[in-house]
Amino acid sequence: MMICYFKLIALTGYLIRLSIASIQIEADNCITDSLTIYDSLMPIKSKILSRICEPTNSLVSFVSTNNMMLVTLKSTQVHKVKEIHGYFEVIPQEKCGKAIQAIGNTALEGRITSPYYPSYYPPKCICSWNFQTSQKNLGIALKFQNYAINEKSIKGCKYGWWKINERMYCGYYIDHQTVFRVASFVANVEFQCSSKLSERPLLVEYASYNISQPCPLGSFECYTGLCVRQAQRCDGINDCFDESDELFCDVSKEICNTSILTQQHSLFCDGIIDCEDGQDEQSCTTSIPCTNNTFKCKDNICFRKRNAKCDGIVDCLDRSDESNCSCGSTKYSHKLHRIVGGSDTQEGEWPWQVSLLYGGIAYCGASVISKEWLLSAAHCFQGNRLSDPRTWIAHLGMRTKGKAKFISTVRRIIVHEYYNSRNHDYDIALLQLSTPWLDTMRWLIQPICIPPTSYRVHTGEKCWVTGWGQKHEADDKGSAILQKAEVEIVDQTLCHSTYGLITARMLCAGVMSGKRDSCKGDSGGPLSCRSKGDGKWFLAGIVSWGYGCGRANFPGVYTRVSNFATWIHKHVPTVF
Ligand code: ARG
């Protein structure tokens, strides 16, 4: 065991900024190696500003709240080289917030940021900006980068609270921008940090806008506040980032109208008839010049190479030549004919199904996606103990509880950085096994295919949900034998109308009459859909949440895995 201490002290009244350029450590949730930054000279837990548990090569910086900082580098594996490169500076305290006069009606007038931007901002901050526009009919629009604010509920705010003209909001991080409009010519905007640790830097652009017409003529206002051209509504492309431009679209009327149904449209020639008259699938020439000797990528570009498919080299921009080379097949022949309203499965029927045991008890499900990686739900790993990989054991190749073909401890858990426990947005997590499963187990353990970003499930399509969870909402224990239930993909607009808070990272599946559903204990497990083309199984969803279990009109809500193809490949480059 090795621990290095770096004690940094500045003149009183000044602060310390530590910048880390690169760090070479073991990636396993800080079990073997960790870099910890304290807001004091003593390693006190409550004074932790940040912990780094993974190697990185991109510059990040942290600021103290006083003139002291302690940085410790810990390693229990001293035979391997551990390195950190960085530097520190003494900086003056920054006052944050000011009075801002917004002048005209231009798209962008300026920007405000969290303290010490682009460093992570320290806890205990308060900023206040007082905006005023030049005319009574102009309000203030705030465009948040990778962040959104929502009306505050009784619960506290995890990632900062905002007071805007006496109303309270909570902020949270997301993967796209949002616009918040204050319909008044004065706006008092107060931001207060609420996280105990340092937080990711915030950037907000502002401009004045016309209160009576927030979006320019001929454009549509998304739920995210962004404005998109009217022509982008119902075109099958998620221009609003939250899909609100693609909700409440009457497919047969709005899209199938020839003027809008262009070749770029995702419904066009996707092999499924969406328009009543079937015109979206007519005049689909297979004339795209892919001959037998070429491989056609999903985006219709051809590669003049015989072995583009599964040769280990990515040729297609969308990686489709290297996706699903060895996944999604089973030895079991699925004759398509607990989980609520399900039935017993057979041995080897769902070879990617995993049971995750927490403290010896079946707690969540997961899916095998490679020799050493599993995919599950982020909400299974919330809390101090649940986020510790050492408290989990994965059972693979199992039908009856307790009879797993392969058991492994968990080495590392990667919870999505934007997971939001308030609405279960980004409910996805990767788990790395301590020991990869062996090829000799192939008949009972198989990875499921990760759907590419372009993958679409269609309303009414039938998929399967599996798990050992509760068979009824009121049950208190799960099932001993793995259960399966056939569920239907529910229209996103319909699901949105029932639940009101379905994001683009979610999809709904069930039967509207209720009765067939996933339930408590199934979380993290797969929603498996079989491709009509090659019969391979795809992980369309991850069991995430729902109102009760199997209630009529309240389908199960699943994490939409195709949205995370890039995120998964970033962490697991070996999954094709
Ligand atoms: N959150 C639940 C769990 O932790 C899964 C709930 C799924 N609910 C539903 N109605 N489909 O196991």
Side-chain angles (χ1 to χ4, degrees):
M1 168 94 153
M2 165 204 86
I3 305 184
C4 300
Y5 292 91
F6 303 95
K7 289 187 174 181
L8 310 176
I9 306 171
L11 279 177
T12 41
Y14 286 87
L15 307 179
I16 295 164
R17 178 181 0 234
L18 174 75
S19 300
I20 296 181
S22 74
I23 166 161
Q24 246 19 274
I25 51 170
E26 219 38 47
D28 61 0
N29 296 84
C30 285
I31 295 170
T32 30
D33 296 348
S34 59
L35 182 89
T36 312
I37 304 162
Y38 296 91
D39 199 22
S40 65
L41 285 181
M42 301 285 278
I44 308 165
K45 222 175 164 187
S46 63
K47 292 281 184 184
I48 292 179
L49 283 177
S50 200
R51 292 196 91 191
I52 299 178
C53 306
E54 293 179 29
T56 140
N57 277 315
S58 46
L59 188 72
V60 274
S61 58
F62 303 91
V63 176
S64 63
T65 66
N66 55 55
N67 65 332
M68 289 169 281
M69 189 184 264
L70 169 70
V71 184
T72 65
L73 177 65
K74 194 191 90 190
S75 177
T76 48
Q77 263 188 348
V78 274
H79 54 278
K80 281 199 199 159
V81 178
K82 310 288 143 126
E83 275 186 11
I84 96 162
H85 293 265
Y87 52 91
F88 55 89
E89 297 153 272
V90 173
I91 57 167
Q93 273 187 39
E94 210 175 81
K95 204 183 153 289
C96 113
K98 59 179 176 205
I100 295 169
Q101 185 78 37
I103 3 116
N105 196 358
T106 56
L108 164 71
E109 294 191 18
R111 49 190 239 179
I112 57 175
T113 61
S114 52
Y116 310 102
Y117 186 84
S119 298
Y120 275 51
Y121 58 87
K124 293 187 283 197
C125 72
I126 300 182
C127 307
S128 134
W129 297 276
N130 296 309
F131 291 94
Q132 186 158 9
T133 64
S134 55
Q135 285 168 46
K136 282 255 183 333
N137 64 337
L138 297 181
I140 294 288
L142 301 169
K143 190 195 259 178
F144 292 89
Q145 296 301 323
N146 288 43
Y147 194 76
I149 60 171
N150 261 192
E151 207 98 357
K152 188 182 178 303
S153 63
I154 358 156
K155 278 203 211 158
C157 306
K158 212 167 157 195
Y159 298 111
W161 61 259
W162 294 76
K163 196 163 98 188
I164 300 179
N165 287 353
E166 299 307 316
R167 289 184 90 108
M168 304 286 287
Y169 303 86
C170 283
Y172 50 92
Y173 292 86
I174 47 173
D175 65 353
H176 57 78
Q177 55 191 24
T178 60
V179 177
F180 185 88
R181 291 189 180 80
V182 190
S184 158
F185 74 105
V186 286
N188 295 313
V189 177
E190 197 178 300
F191 165 62
Q192 194 156 331
C193 316
S194 58
S195 157
K196 282 205 184 113
L197 305 173
S198 288
E199 253 318 325
R200 289 160 274 183
L202 283 175
L203 173 65
V204 188
E205 295 173 345
Y206 61 84
S208 35
Y209 77 98
N210 188 343
I211 297 175
S212 55
Q213 200 198 337
C215 281
L217 258 185
S219 66
F220 163 83
E221 187 177 359
C222 308
Y223 295 154
T224 45
L226 299 167
C227 300
V228 299
R229 279 181 297 111
Q230 197 62 41
Q232 291 174 297
R233 227 180 96 63
C234 300
D235 66 350
I237 299 160
N238 178 11
D239 303 287
C240 283
F241 294 111
D242 64 347
E243 282 185 342
S244 50
D245 55 326
E246 299 303 320
L247 294 175
F248 304 100
C249 297
D250 186 340
V251 172
S252 53
K253 279 207 205 83
E254 293 189 48
I255 305 175
C256 298
N257 161 343
T258 35
S259 65
I260 304 176
L261 184 66
T262 59
Q263 302 215 350
Q264 276 77 31
H265 197 283
S266 68
L267 296 183
F268 184 77
C269 296
D270 65 346
I272 290 150
I273 294 176
D274 301 286
C275 300
E276 272 173 12
D277 57 1
Q279 57 145 313
D280 58 319
E281 295 304 316
Q282 278 163 17
S283 63
C284 299
T285 44
T286 33
S287 72
I288 302 155
C290 285
T291 61
N292 274 345
N293 281 348
T294 60
F295 174 74
K296 190 166 112 194
C297 304
K298 283 254 161 56
D299 52 16
N300 281 340
I301 299 165
C302 296
F303 277 90
R304 308 219 157 269
K305 207 164 87 179
R306 199 183 283 269
N307 297 322
K309 180 88 186 147
C310 300
D311 64 352
I313 298 158
V314 176
D315 300 298
C316 300
L317 287 176
D318 62 4
R319 313 176 68 110
S320 54
D321 58 322
E322 292 303 319
S323 58
N324 316 315
C325 293
S326 151
C327 64
S329 54
T330 66
K331 303 279 172 283
Y332 178 87
S333 68
H334 287 263
K335 289 191 194 66
L336 293 182
H337 78 102
R338 231 166 286 215
I339 296 285
V340 175
S343 54
D344 287 0
T345 58
Q346 300 302 311
E347 199 76 57
E349 191 178 346
W350 307 98
W352 43 86
Q353 175 81 50
V354 177
S355 175
L356 293 177
L357 276 69
Y358 170 70
I361 297 161
Y363 198 81
C364 269
S367 305
V368 176
I369 59 164
S370 80
K371 280 275 158 61
E372 53 172 345
W373 287 91
L374 312 178
L375 204 56
S376 186
H379 79 260
C380 295
F381 311 101
Q382 289 307 297
N384 253 339
R385 283 186 47 81
L386 289 164
S387 61
D388 184 341
R390 290 167 293 188
T391 55
W392 292 92
I393 295 177
H395 284 212
L396 280 69
M398 181 169 91
R399 172 178 173 256
T400 311
K401 263 189 196 164
K403 294 198 175 152
K405 286 285 164 314
F406 180 76
I407 296 178
S408 169
T409 51
V410 175
R411 178 180 137 78
R412 182 178 177 205
I413 302 173
I414 306 174
V415 168
H416 198 283
E417 63 197 300
Y418 297 138
Y419 171 64
N420 180 343
S421 56
R422 291 159 63 93
N423 61 2
H424 292 308
D425 207 2
Y426 303 90
D427 196 4
I428 190 166
L430 278 163
L431 273 74
Q432 187 180 22
L433 298 174
S434 309
T435 351
W437 49 275
L438 303 170
D439 256 329
T440 51
M441 300 160 180
R442 270 203 174 275
W443 57 292
L444 282 180
I445 305 173
Q446 276 283 320
I448 186 166
C449 306
I450 298 296
T453 313
S454 57
Y455 179 90
R456 295 274 171 283
V457 281
H458 294 265
T459 303
E461 196 178 325
K462 294 200 166 59
C463 299
W464 291 82
V465 58
T466 44
W468 290 272
Q470 293 178 184
K471 288 191 186 180
H472 304 280
E473 191 180 316
D475 255 5
D476 52 359
K477 59 176 192 331
S479 156
I481 294 174
L482 181 64
Q483 300 292 298
K484 61 174 174 187
E486 194 182 33
V487 288
E488 241 170 58
I489 304 297
V490 172
D491 176 57
Q492 191 86 349
T493 304
L494 181 60
C495 196
H496 202 281
S497 335
T498 347
Y499 280 119
L501 22 81
I502 301 299
T503 71
R505 276 74 56 187
M506 302 175 188
L507 74 85
C508 302
V511 284
M512 275 328 220
S513 61
K515 297 193 178 62
R516 265 187 277 148
D517 197 3
S518 43
C519 198
K520 206 159 167 248
D522 295 322
S523 278
L527 173 72
S528 316
C529 301
R530 194 175 198 177
S531 138
K532 285 189 197 68
D534 53 10
K536 286 192 171 175
W537 288 91
F538 282 85
L539 185 64
I542 297 170
V543 180
S544 177
W545 61 279
Y547 172 61
C549 301
R551 296 192 187 193
N553 299 317
F554 288 97
V557 187
Y558 297 79
T559 311
R560 196 184 278 269
V561 179
S562 58
N563 260 319
F564 295 97
T566 318
W567 181 79
I568 295 167
H569 293 302
K570 185 177 96 195
H571 291 285
V572 191
T574 51
V575 177
F576 288 131

